[in-house]
């Protein structure tokens, strides 16, 4: 699977799927995969020499998605159009493929060594196995290597290491090259060789965690007004809450990302905390220093006094109301079950576009209020209709407006003056006689 190395695929976060049709029928499969998490990308394997030709690798953004899907795998998915897809973990297939390739390469190199040295293949293999046994006897167990690797590397590597350790016994079932009849089959895959292969795979796969591009928090300092290259505390806190919910990160990694995003004076606030402090301790201390301290009732009163500004669209006004209501909700000023009702009631009070309220019949929906997303969509659709109508009206009147015509009147007649007037010598001013 050259595509895995070439595209830096995150093996623990990926599955491989057979039966792809490259048509609209595959949309059912995509909907099924999206139930377990957001997909980062899909790669098609186009290699006629590979047994995975025309298969597809689907990479999730988080290893939690594969962990949730793994109990079902391998899984046969049938779409409503009677198309069958085979879904398997990429780690299992990838380890099996590279192990098989490594085994054949190993024996091929030993044959070359035997030809160069003049020894038989059996003697060269026996010498190599003896050296491997001595190396294994003086090296730590693979389980210890896995533990140390897991402590120093990203935890998303765990499914990969687990799959490799589970599949180690399966090396016995891999196709082996033909050996002379005098060569015992037990020399090919003894337990010592299996341990060495697993140890080599774990060590070689560990650096792959560097391709798990870390999500970086934006900078936060707590300065007022907020600098243009930073975010305010509420936006920063929301990003931190997402990191706290990420199962692929340890507490140490979460704390480090929080510290990396802080600059003075916010960095000075958390300086007294010890390196062993939990992420929630950092968040609690910063919340006491920069979070909202207003009472929930006061925030709700501000919400009730929020009205539509001049020139502000109804959808923008709804956004401001939702922000104010969310703050009051977090501080206990509003019951969560009544949030939609309060939002609709205040929108009807504070929006000055009575025609819009009448068209959407929002006043009649107070007993069964729509959610914020539903109401926002209705407002944006109505605003789009009104804007399109205004544009059509402007184009119509611009096309039917009569063009202004100018007429030049040239007087070629000679001014006839009464007999009592005469023209002076300068031919410009008539003088009464």
């Amino acid at each position: 699977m050259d595509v895995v190395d070439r595209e830096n695929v995150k093996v623990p976060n990926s599955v491989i799927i057979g039966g792809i049709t490259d048509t609209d029928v595959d949309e059912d499969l995509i909907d099924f995969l999206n139930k377990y998490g957001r997909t980062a990308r899909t790669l098609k394997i186009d290699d006629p020499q590979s047994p995975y030709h025309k298969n597809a690798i689907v990479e999730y953004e988080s290893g939690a998605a594969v962990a949730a899907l793994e109990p079902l795998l391998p899984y046969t998915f049938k779409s409503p159009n009677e198309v069958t897809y085979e879904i398997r973990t990429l780690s299992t297939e990838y380890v099996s493929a590279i192990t098989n390739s490594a085994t054949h390469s190993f024996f091929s190199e030993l044959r070359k060594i035997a030809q160069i040295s003049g020894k038989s293949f059996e003697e060269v293999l026996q010498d190599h196995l003896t050296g491997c046994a001595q190396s294994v006897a003086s090296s730590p167990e693979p389980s210890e290597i896995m533990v140390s690797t897991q402590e120093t590397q990203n935890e998303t590597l765990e499914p990969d290491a687990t799959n490799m350790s589970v599949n180690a016994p399966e090396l016995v079932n891999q196709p082996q090259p033909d050996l002379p009849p005098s060569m015992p089959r037990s020399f090919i895959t003894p337990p010592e060789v299996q341990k060495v292969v697993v140890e080599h795979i774990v060590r070689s796969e560990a650096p792959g965690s560097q391709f798990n591009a870390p999500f970086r928090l934006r900078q936060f300092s707590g300065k007022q007004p907020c600098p243009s290259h930073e975010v305010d505390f509420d936006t920063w806190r929301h990003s931190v809450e997402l990191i706290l919910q990420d199962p692929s990160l340890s507490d140490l990694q979460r704390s480090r990302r929080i510290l990396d995003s802080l600059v003075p004076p916010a960095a000075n606030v958390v300086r007294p905390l010890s390196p062993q402090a939990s992420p929630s301790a950092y968040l609690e201390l910063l919340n006491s220093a920069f979070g909202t301290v207003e009472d929930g009732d006061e925030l709700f009163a501000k919400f009730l006094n929020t009205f539509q500004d001049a020139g502000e669209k109804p959808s923008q006004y709804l956004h401001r109301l939702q922000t104010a209501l969310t703050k009051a909700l977090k501080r206990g000023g509003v019951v969560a079950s009544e949030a939609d009702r309060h939002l609709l009631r205040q929108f009807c009070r504070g929006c000055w576009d009575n025609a819009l309220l009448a068209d959407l019949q929002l006043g009649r929906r107070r007993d069964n209020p729509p959610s914020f997303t539903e109401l926002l969509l209705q407002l944006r659709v109505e605003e789009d209709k009104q804007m399109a109508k205004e544009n059509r009206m402007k184009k119509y009147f611009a096309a039917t407006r009569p063009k202004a015509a100018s007429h030049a009147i040239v007087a070629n007649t000679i001014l006839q003056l009464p007999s009592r007037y005469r023209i002076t010598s300068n031919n410009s001013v008539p003088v009464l006689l």
Side-chain angles (χ1 to χ4, degrees):
M1 294 185 184
D2 295 337
V3 66
V4 176
D5 298 327
R6 185 173 63 253
E7 299 294 337
N8 295 330
V9 178
K10 301 177 184 177
V11 176
N13 296 6
S14 306
V15 294
I16 185 169
I17 304 172
I20 300 296
T21 63
D22 290 331
T23 62
D24 295 339
V25 178
D26 296 339
E27 294 294 332
D28 297 324
L29 173 65
I30 295 175
D31 294 339
F32 171 77
L33 296 176
N34 287 337
K35 293 179 181 179
Y36 296 89
R38 294 182 59 183
T39 57
R41 55 178 173 168
T42 301
L43 302 174
K44 186 72 177 295
I45 301 177
D46 188 9
D47 183 7
Q49 304 300 326
S50 172
Y52 302 99
H53 180 51
K54 293 186 177 182
N55 286 14
I57 296 176
V58 177
E59 180 181 328
Y60 284 99
E61 293 183 355
S62 172
V66 178
L69 183 60
E70 192 170 11
L72 301 177
L73 302 180
Y75 180 70
T76 301
F77 175 76
K78 288 187 177 181
S79 68
N81 297 315
E82 301 299 328
V83 178
T84 303
Y85 304 91
E86 297 293 335
I87 307 175
R88 306 176 300 278
T89 55
L90 179 60
S91 58
T92 302
E93 300 296 326
Y94 183 62
V95 170
S96 176
I98 62 175
T99 302
N100 189 26
S101 176
T103 302
H104 283 277
S105 300
F106 171 71
F107 284 107
S108 177
E109 293 296 329
L110 288 184
R111 289 181 184 277
K112 292 181 181 179
I113 295 174
Q115 292 177 357
I116 296 174
S117 63
K119 296 181 180 180
S120 65
F121 176 76
E122 292 84 351
E123 292 176 348
V124 174
L125 180 59
Q126 184 63 49
D127 293 342
H128 187 77
L129 293 179
T130 302
C132 290
Q134 294 175 354
S135 176
V136 170
S138 60
S139 63
E141 292 296 324
S143 59
E144 298 177 4
I145 298 173
M146 292 185 204
V147 171
S148 62
T149 303
Q150 292 168 1
E151 291 177 353
T152 57
Q153 300 296 335
N154 193 311
E155 290 183 1
T156 57
L157 196 59
E158 290 182 359
D160 197 13
T162 303
N163 287 334
M164 286 185 288
S165 62
V166 172
N167 290 331
E170 295 182 3
L171 297 175
V172 182
N173 299 326
Q174 298 295 334
Q176 306 293 344
D178 295 334
L179 298 176
S182 60
M183 184 67 185
R185 181 65 63 175
S186 60
F187 281 179
I188 300 176
T189 53
E192 291 80 8
V193 174
Q194 296 178 15
K195 291 181 180 180
V196 172
V197 172
V198 172
E199 176 183 343
H200 170 71
I201 294 174
V202 171
R203 287 178 175 174
S204 62
E205 285 296 314
S209 62
Q210 63 182 338
F211 298 113
N212 296 336
F215 171 77
R216 296 183 62 86
L217 292 170
R218 295 187 62 182
Q219 284 189 351
F220 171 71
S221 64
K223 297 179 181 178
Q224 293 295 337
C226 180
S228 59
H229 61 280
E230 298 180 3
V231 293
D232 58 15
F233 179 74
D234 291 334
T235 304
W236 180 85
R237 179 189 172 92
H238 180 69
S239 300
V240 172
E241 290 175 350
L242 294 178
I243 287 182
L244 296 180
Q245 298 299 323
D246 190 349
S248 64
L249 299 177
S250 64
D251 285 345
L252 180 60
Q253 292 170 331
R254 296 188 183 105
S255 299
R256 181 172 182 176
R257 294 190 182 184
I258 291 175
L259 286 174
D260 290 343
S261 67
L262 298 178
V263 294
N268 298 332
V269 174
V270 298
R271 196 179 300 275
L273 294 177
S274 64
Q276 293 77 22
S278 63
S280 57
Y282 286 95
L283 195 58
E284 182 179 357
L285 185 57
L286 290 169
N287 188 58
S288 62
F290 303 103
T292 303
V293 295
E294 293 179 276
D295 184 71
D297 294 336
E298 292 293 333
L299 292 172
F300 184 62
K302 285 186 177 181
F303 166 76
L304 294 178
N305 290 323
T306 303
F307 299 97
Q308 185 180 10
D309 294 333
E312 184 179 31
K313 292 183 178 181
S315 59
Q316 296 173 344
Y317 171 55
L318 182 65
H319 270 294
R320 287 201 300 121
L321 283 179
Q322 176 67 12
T323 302
L325 183 61
T326 302
K327 292 181 179 179
L329 184 62
K330 288 183 177 180
R331 301 293 295 179
V334 181
V335 181
S337 59
E338 297 292 326
D340 291 338
R341 187 175 65 84
H342 287 302
L343 181 64
L344 178 61
R345 180 173 177 270
Q346 181 58 28
F347 181 80
C348 294
R349 289 181 64 243
C351 180
W352 312 123
D353 193 345
N354 293 326
L356 177 67
L357 299 177
D359 291 341
L360 298 180
Q361 298 182 354
L362 297 180
R364 300 181 181 181
R365 304 179 62 181
R366 295 184 179 181
D367 294 335
N368 186 22
S371 63
F372 166 71
T373 54
E374 182 182 354
L375 180 57
L376 179 61
L377 179 61
Q378 292 177 358
L379 292 178
R380 294 186 65 238
V381 169
E382 195 65 25
E383 289 172 357
D384 184 71
K385 289 181 180 179
Q386 292 181 1
M387 183 176 297
K389 187 174 182 179
E390 291 177 359
N391 291 336
R392 290 195 303 269
M393 181 179 67
K394 291 178 181 179
K395 291 180 180 179
Y396 173 76
F397 284 112
T400 58
R401 182 181 303 169
K403 296 182 178 180
S406 60
H407 300 278
I409 301 177
V410 180
N412 294 322
T413 59
I414 299 175
L415 180 63
Q416 299 294 332
L417 295 176
S419 59
R420 63 178 180 274
Y421 289 90
R422 66 179 177 86
I423 301 298
T424 60
S425 60
N426 57 9
N427 295 328
S428 60
V429 180
V431 180
L432 179 64
L433 296 176

